[in-house]
Amino acid sequence: MFSFLKKPTPEELVKKWKRELRREDRGLDTQLRAIDMQEKKTVRMIKERVKAGDQKSAKTLAKEIVNSRKAKERIYIGKAQMNSVSMQLQSNLAMTKVQGNLAKSTEIMKMMNDLIKLPELNKVMMAMGAEMTKAGIMEEMISDVFDMQGEDLEEEAEMEVNKIMDEILVSGPQVSSTPLETHQQEEVAEEKQEDSELLDRLKALKS
């Protein structure tokens, strides 16, 4: 009758957290695919701007690739940390047979504090961290958000843009960890639409 008031067991808590971590991991995979698709579109637009002699616009677009690659790096780190949290939770759960409850873990606390700094995970990790704190696994989390502006130092950004421009113009179509697909004639209509979208973004970046 009053089962809904029953305190969840350690097994139930760990199962719930691991399920949420897997869901967030799948969401990050979706974001990575979207970033890769957008990067391919941007690369093609950069090549067209270079052919047209518009180096300024090409560099402006190259900055988008710099930002997208930094975003991908953050996401990959986040995925690895979530996997580590999941394994630590399972290990902690195994210890409950000896201790009778989930033990406090400095490793989990450190990784969770890193995860909440990622914009893509901040809200979910804050909620999960509050549950873990209540369960006694960790102390109260630090609520700092990821400082995006700290990475955008002008000199570093300019160096990265120049590297990407060289990568595109010297190395050919290979501009990321996976090669660009060769565009066939049947894709011409789609490319025109994508280029139109990129031109709109370029105008927005210049304004």
Side-chain angles (χ1 to χ4, degrees), residues 135-151:
I137 291 181
M138 47 185 274
E139 297 175 357
E140 188 174 354
M141 296 177 69
I142 302 170
S143 58
D144 291 339
V145 295
F146 191 83
D147 184 6
M148 295 286 290
Q149 295 179 346
E151 288 195 341

